[in-house]
Amino acid sequence: MQPDLIKAAGKDSIMIRKKIHDGWKMRRTDWESFYEAKVPGTVYTDLLDNGLMEDPYYRDNEDAARALMDYDYEYVTSFNVDEKEGFGDCNDILLRFDMIDTVADVYLNGSLLGNACNMHRTYEYQVKELLKPENELKVVLHSPNKFIKAAFEEDPVLGSEDCSMGFPKLRKAHYMFGWDWGPRLPDAGILRDVTLIGVESARFDSVYVKQNHFDDKVELSFDVELDKTYQKAGDYACFVTVTDPDGKVIAEKEDASKTIVIEKPQLWWPNGYGKQPLYTVKVELVKCGNGAENNSYDDAAVLDIWEKKIGLRTMEVSREKDEYGEEFAHKVNGVKIFAMGADYIPQDNILSRVNKERTKELLMHCVNSHFNCIRVWGGGYYPEDYFYDLCDELGLVVWQDFMFACAVYRLTEDFEENITIEIIQNVKRLRHHASLGLWCGNNEMEMFVGQGNWGAKFTLKSDYVKMYEYLFPKLLKKLDPQTFYWPASPSSGGGFDNPNDESRGDAHYWDVWHGNQPFTEYRKFHFRYLSEFGFQSFPSVKTIETFTEPQDRNIFSYVMEKHQRNNAANGKIMNYMSQTFLYPESLDELVYYSQLLQAEAIRYGVEHFRRNRGRCMGTVYWQLNDCWPVASWASIDYEGRWKALQYYARRFFAPILVSCEEKGYLDQRISVNDEKEPIKKSIRLNVQNETMERSSVTVYWQLRDSKANVIESGEKEIVCEALSTTWFDEMDMDHADLYSNYVSYQVAKEGEILSEGTVLFCPPKHFKFEDPQLSVRVEDGEIVVSAKAYAKSIEIRNENDDLILSDNYFDLNGGERRLSIFKGEPKNLTVRSVYKKL
């Protein structure tokens, strides 16, 4: 294996890197035989590849798979170090592990190099004195189950009841021990690269690029930190080259101690507000002497290179006081944006299955659904570099949690040292990214610790404050002062001061779902920034088939309940379903209704908060994706199939959105037998323009009967200012029949419909639908759907249910609609709506 040499200006860097990825074998430590292994990889991956375990996601195999992690596993490889590779000329040689999951002993040629204990850190070991021409590298991965059990017995600190006891005691992705959407599958492995690094005399520890913005120019300055193991004052110099997004070198071999000015900068913007141009910054470390005595680059020896893409932008969080309290808004290049996105969890419980292509597809789904923001939730792990590279390229502002969630932690000296290194390493790795919107201390811990949950009293409560309101902000002030830090999500700013306050900070709102409140309950609140709210549904029947046998396909079966991690969820879904739809007559119909419920719930919230732009400045729903096939809050299931919610998101995150605040049965009745005043019916339309341009549009509305015939209509031309919300006057609809009339509405520009929708005044189960006689055909590479009456929530599927269309789960006021096909083959198509023939 030839080492990878860093290239610079036509010269080879003296630093040498050689990946140690070949020839690995593994075994359980109580086995005699070894088996082939993949590094980077995981124990589960290797056991599966060697036929030593069953699919952990199938039926109830999770239990047996979890038990496999009661054992230790040994990984071994051999590698040669050839004189031609140049390691012999290096002053030092390091062995680097970018991620070890999690409790591990590392040996080289029989000598213990060290003990790893944090999957969120990188580990480096000095190995020059131990290297031979032929070498054996061994890693022993200890049982995470035994570790947390022993740690809990010694110090029983608590956390989420959905996880294994003791999980907070190990710096391992917490979701691996279970969550209310995830299995207890604490896989282990050597994840990311294993690299042998030869250092001549110095190398970078980190480079921090600071931006100062002025009218029509940006000044870049560079905080360069050398690895203190090798640093000798005055021996080295650093030179910077900047290349613009068009490939033109605009600064070449400039002294890194000086400021570089970029005239007429191309600014980076979130998706929907502008483009995402990226500049390349290359910093080269050279050894003084041989032409570098006077900081001259010519003929100098290049020791190390730091090369990254950056976006020129300002990124703040505005907390200005206003008439409602204190706003909370991302502010990019001086513009306050309305955050539209979802919460991202790890994409798999077996992390070796996550790759750039899979992540890119997921993030492209976000962009194609008009997301401008994504929250990396704190119960997982810090994603790979390519995740953030993709967010930079796609314009997704990243809300980055530190990896602490739903638990209490005892701040011992060892734990403080461990997490301090974790924070330093990850901040230095990620802080250059244009997409980085803010750092957040943890998920939901200020709220629950403040309430005394999980035994959080006295010293544990004090330790919380020390970590998130002293230690972390102090580190961030030094490491990344240009990025906003927020102590927790939700929070009003810290100090256990009403962290879910409606008038300040960010909020998590769960009364719709956990509190069993109707969808209209969202309209009673005006949160400043909603970073979690959600509603569960079942995945596609085709996804359910991947983990069940036919006899399992009932949502109350043992296997289906193993794939439903929220104990009350199936009952909640059925409760909401009984309020909304007629009784489902098959699993297929139940799945369909559950997805419509989820989509409608989130639509009610997002549209309400967008109508109140300015007071509310963000809707980030829970959650985007799954880590295994499961009933959950995700809008895209584990197999990559779009649920109804993802199509709804594509509509309710539209750049120009028309929405309707209707009044009717849902906000005035619980039961058909309530003795109250007659139901008051009305509509109030709103247009929200989340673009940077002023726009002249026409808004239309129609009162229709169930055949989609127009009873009355209206239209109005308006001018929507950029980044604004425009309310219409409330219109009385008491003359409309409660059970057979509905309202449709559209906003159009130059004849093109930008956004549209319909509202009922009663639950769909009570509406007197006519048979729409739906039909579907393929014509000129598009799908054409036709209806002869009002059709609500039209779903179009192919045989494998893997179509992704320009729209789905939409309403049609009779007539035809043409749809583009983004993915999948339009074969054996089926179409349905909520109409049921009784």
Side-chain angles (χ1 to χ4, degrees):
M1 180 191 300
Q2 291 298 313
D4 299 320
L5 297 176
I6 299 176
K7 301 287 186 178
K11 300 177 291 184
D12 291 346
S13 166
I14 295 175
M15 183 173 286
I16 305 169
R17 300 178 189 269
K18 177 178 180 175
K19 292 182 179 179
I20 312 297
H21 289 178
D22 294 338
W24 285 90
K25 55 186 179 179
M26 64 86 71
R27 68 175 179 180
R28 211 168 77 184
T29 54
D30 62 335
W31 293 343
E32 291 186 6
S33 300
F34 279 90
Y35 297 86
E36 289 187 4
K38 293 178 182 177
V39 171
T42 75
V43 170
Y44 283 159
T45 303
D46 293 325
L47 294 178
L48 285 164
D49 288 348
N50 286 286
L52 300 172
M53 69 178 289
E54 301 294 331
D55 176 3
Y57 298 166
Y58 186 67
R59 302 195 82 205
D60 61 347
N61 286 349
E62 172 199 350
D63 295 338
R66 181 189 181 194
L68 289 172
M69 299 316 299
D70 289 339
Y71 298 90
D72 298 345
Y73 293 85
E74 177 183 333
Y75 279 72
V76 179
T77 190
S78 59
F79 64 94
N80 297 333
V81 176
D82 195 305
E83 290 183 6
K84 296 178 182 179
E85 293 175 339
F87 284 103
D89 298 326
C90 297
N91 287 342
D92 203 359
I93 303 173
L94 305 171
L95 183 64
R96 177 184 175 95
F97 290 82
D98 282 339
M99 180 185 283
I100 302 180
D101 177 17
T102 293
V103 186
D105 303 327
V106 181
Y107 298 86
L108 181 63
N109 297 327
S111 295
L112 177 65
L113 298 180
N115 313 106
C117 59
N118 187 333
M119 75 174 286
H120 307 304
R121 287 174 50 183
T122 60
Y123 287 87
E124 288 185 343
Y125 306 103
Q126 294 182 325
V127 297
K128 182 175 181 180
E129 302 304 320
L130 295 173
L131 279 179
K132 303 175 182 178
E134 296 182 1
N135 302 275
E136 182 186 75
L137 176 60
K138 181 172 73 172
V139 178
V140 179
L141 299 168
H142 295 287
S143 165
N145 290 340
K146 289 183 177 179
F147 182 96
I148 64 170
K149 182 179 180 181
F152 183 77
E153 289 175 354
E154 182 179 334
D155 181 21
V157 296
L158 301 173
S160 170
E161 295 77 8
D162 295 299
C163 302
S164 302
M165 290 274 202
F167 78 91
K169 303 296 289 185
L170 185 58
R171 294 306 297 148
K172 176 178 174 68
H174 288 343
Y175 82 104
M176 290 183 171
F177 292 109
W179 218 263
D180 58 359
W181 37 257
R184 294 181 178 128
L185 291 173
D187 198 3
I190 304 171
L191 291 157
R192 301 180 182 167
D193 290 341
V194 181
T195 312
L196 195 65
I197 302 173
V199 181
E200 196 273 344
S201 59
R203 64 171 181 161
F204 289 125
D205 178 273
S206 65
V207 176
Y208 184 40
V209 183
K210 292 189 289 189
Q211 302 181 23
N212 288 307
H213 288 243
F214 304 93
D215 291 340
D216 220 21
K217 71 175 182 179
V218 176
E219 291 182 355
L220 301 182
S221 58
F222 306 89
D223 288 347
V224 177
E225 183 180 355
L226 302 187
D227 187 328
K228 292 181 174 59
T229 307
Y230 311 101
Q231 183 177 355
K232 296 180 181 178
D235 289 344
Y236 312 101
C238 297
F239 297 93
V240 179
T241 298
V242 180
T243 305
D244 73 12
D246 302 315
K248 179 182 178 182
V249 175
I250 56 176
E252 187 169 13
K253 308 301 182 289
E254 299 286 344
D255 185 346
S257 65
K258 299 178 181 178
T259 297
I260 292 177
V261 178
I262 299 178
E263 304 285 353
K264 298 181 179 179
Q266 300 180 48
L267 296 182
W268 183 94
W269 290 94
N271 180 43
Y273 300 86
K275 297 181 179 180
Q276 294 80 43
L278 297 172
Y279 290 72
T280 301
V281 176
K282 179 165 70 174
V283 185
E284 296 170 88
L285 173 64
V286 301
K287 184 176 182 180
C288 292
N290 297 324
E293 294 91 341
N294 297 311
N295 285 357
S296 170
Y297 180 85
D298 296 339
D299 300 321
V302 176
L303 303 177
D304 199 359
I305 296 171
W306 183 94
E307 185 170 355
K308 305 290 182 183
K309 290 185 181 295
I310 68 168
L312 303 181
R313 87 292 186 266
T314 60
M315 181 79 74
E316 308 165 76
V317 171
S318 175
R319 297 178 64 196
E320 292 181 9
K321 302 289 185 182
D322 59 21
E323 61 185 302
Y324 308 111
E326 181 182 277
E327 75 175 359
F328 194 91
H330 297 292
K331 188 176 180 181
V332 186
N333 302 324
V335 175
K336 296 173 185 176
I337 71 168
F338 188 100
M340 301 187 291
D343 296 283
Y344 169 87
I345 67 168
Q347 290 171 247
D348 215 299
N349 257 85
I350 301 175
L351 288 178
S352 58
R353 295 176 174 177
V354 181
N355 54 49
K356 184 176 181 179
E357 291 70 28
R358 183 175 169 187
T359 300
K360 183 176 182 179
E361 182 176 33
L362 180 65
L363 295 180
M364 285 299 298
H365 292 329
C366 297
V367 170
N368 290 334
S369 301
H370 309 296
F371 286 30
N372 58 41
C373 180
I374 192 166
R375 175 178 170 234
V376 178
W377 169 76
Y381 68 106
Y382 305 94
E384 285 77 8
D385 291 340
Y386 61 70
F387 174 90
Y388 302 93
D389 291 338
L390 288 166
C391 289
D392 293 346
E393 295 166 10
L394 298 173
L396 293 171
V397 174
V398 176
W399 173 307
Q400 178 65 55
D401 281 2
F402 289 118
M403 292 301 120
F404 302 86
C406 297
V408 291
Y409 305 91
R410 195 176 302 284
L411 192 62
T412 63
E413 289 186 6
D414 287 345
F415 187 71
E416 179 179 352
E417 179 183 8
N418 193 359
I419 63 173
T420 296
I421 295 171
E422 171 189 326
I423 298 299
I424 290 171
Q425 288 183 348
N426 284 286
V427 171
K428 287 181 176 180
R429 177 169 73 96
L430 303 177
R431 63 189 176 185
H432 69 278
H433 283 283
S435 56
L436 182 60
L438 63 82
W439 298 104
C440 179
N442 66 78
N443 173 73
E444 293 191 337
M445 287 168 50
E446 181 183 355
M447 177 172 64
F448 288 126
V449 170
Q451 295 168 359
N453 286 26
W454 309 313
K457 299 177 181 179
F458 310 120
T459 58
L460 288 174
K461 206 166 183 179
S462 173
D463 285 347
Y464 173 91
V465 175
K466 291 174 186 175
M467 286 174 61
Y468 304 107
E469 298 183 20
Y470 176 74
L471 177 61
F472 288 10
K474 184 178 179 181
L475 288 170
L476 268 296
K477 186 176 181 180
K478 178 181 178 181
L479 296 168
D480 192 13
Q482 292 196 325
T483 302
F484 180 80
Y485 173 75
W486 193 236
S489 180
S491 181
S492 297
F496 305 114
D497 179 17
N498 193 11
N500 229 358
D501 194 337
E502 181 185 0
S503 64
R504 299 173 292 159
D506 75 307
H508 293 187
Y509 180 73
W510 285 100
D511 281 356
V512 175
W513 179 254
H514 287 305
N516 296 308
Q517 294 298 314
F519 302 161
T520 52
E521 195 74 5
Y522 286 117
R523 296 174 179 173
K524 297 179 181 179
F525 299 93
H526 298 83
F527 300 106
R528 308 315 302 267
Y529 188 116
L530 204 53
S531 50
E532 272 195 31
F533 64 114
F535 196 99
Q536 263 207 20
S537 70
F538 294 101
S540 162
V541 171
K542 287 296 182 182
T543 297
I544 291 172
E545 289 173 357
T546 66
F547 65 84
T548 59
E549 293 292 334
Q551 65 268 26
D552 302 324
R553 292 167 195 159
N554 182 302
I555 66 167
F556 298 113
S557 73
Y558 177 78
V559 168
M560 287 292 285
E561 288 189 346
K562 289 291 285 185
H563 290 253
Q564 166 57 277
R565 308 308 286 219
N566 185 276
N567 291 336
N570 285 354
K572 288 184 186 296
I573 291 172
M574 296 307 293
N575 176 42
Y576 278 101
M577 195 174 296
S578 71
Q579 298 172 40
T580 311
F581 296 114
L582 295 173
Y583 193 81
E585 297 177 6
S586 65
L587 175 64
D588 182 63
E589 195 168 58
L590 188 151
V591 167
Y592 170 59
Y593 287 162
S594 79
Q595 292 193 13
L596 291 179
L597 285 170
Q598 178 190 38
E600 284 291 322
I602 305 306
R603 178 186 70 82
Y604 265 83
V606 171
E607 290 185 350
H608 166 68
F609 295 116
R610 284 194 67 179
R611 288 193 288 264
N612 289 277
R613 188 198 199 278
R615 190 172 181 181
C616 178
M617 289 301 290
T619 51
V620 179
Y621 67 79
W622 185 270
Q623 67 204 68
L624 173 63
N625 59 298
D626 282 326
C627 64
W628 77 313
V630 66
S632 80
W633 295 267
S635 56
I636 300 176
D637 76 21
Y638 176 74
E639 297 292 340
R641 295 184 171 97
W642 283 31
K643 295 183 181 179
L645 174 55
Q646 194 63 39
Y647 285 102
Y648 270 57
R650 183 170 160 82
R651 296 198 292 269
F652 60 57
F653 284 154
I656 296 179
L657 170 73
V658 62
S659 65
C660 179
E661 185 178 271
E662 86 291 348
K663 292 182 180 178
Y665 182 101
L666 197 58
D667 63 295
Q668 298 167 52
R669 289 287 190 276
I670 296 175
S671 164
V672 294
N673 299 310
D674 288 345
E675 290 189 11
K676 293 185 177 181
E677 295 297 320
I679 292 174
K680 303 292 291 182
K681 300 182 291 295
S682 68
I683 64 168
R684 192 180 183 194
L685 298 174
N686 176 279
V687 177
Q688 204 268 299
N689 179 10
E690 197 54 32
T691 75
M692 299 280 277
E693 297 179 354
R694 191 170 183 257
S695 194
S696 297
V697 299
T698 304
V699 177
Y700 305 90
W701 65 269
Q702 306 86 30
L703 178 65
R704 298 175 183 263
D705 64 21
S706 56
K707 293 183 178 180
N709 297 317
V710 176
I711 299 170
E712 62 178 291
S713 63
E715 64 179 80
K716 185 176 182 179
E717 294 183 0
I718 62 170
V719 175
C720 298
E721 298 297 332
L723 310 174
S724 72
T725 182
T726 303
W727 282 97
F728 286 61
D729 292 335
E730 186 174 9
M731 288 184 278
D732 185 280
M733 289 286 162
D734 278 342
H735 56 291
D737 184 80
L738 181 64
Y739 301 111
S740 62
N741 291 168
Y742 73 99
V743 171
S744 59
Y745 48 90
Q746 308 84 29
V747 61
K749 183 175 183 178
E750 298 175 355
E752 178 187 358
I753 293 177
L754 306 177
S755 173
E756 61 181 325
T758 73
V759 292
L760 305 178
F761 297 110
C762 68
K765 67 178 181 178
H766 295 155
F767 191 79
K768 298 176 181 177
F769 288 102
E770 296 284 337
D771 183 355
Q773 300 179 49
L774 291 171
S775 65
V776 63
R777 67 184 188 275
V778 179
E779 183 177 285
D780 298 329
E782 294 182 315
I783 291 176
V784 183
V785 61
S786 301
K788 295 184 178 179
Y790 174 47
K792 186 166 183 59
S793 306
I794 293 174
E795 177 199 66
I796 301 164
R797 294 182 295 174
N798 64 0
E799 189 172 20
N800 197 42
D801 196 12
D802 60 359
L803 283 175
I804 297 180
L805 305 176
S806 55
D807 203 3
N808 211 342
Y809 303 94
F810 56 86
D811 302 340
L812 188 60
N813 303 307
E816 287 191 348
R817 186 168 176 196
R818 304 184 74 90
L819 305 166
S820 300
I821 302 168
F822 294 161
K823 183 180 179 180
E825 293 293 326
K827 296 180 180 179
N828 299 321
L829 296 177
T830 60
V831 61
R832 64 177 162 185
S833 70
V834 298
Y835 166 78
K836 289 183 71 171
K837 186 175 182 179
L838 300 178

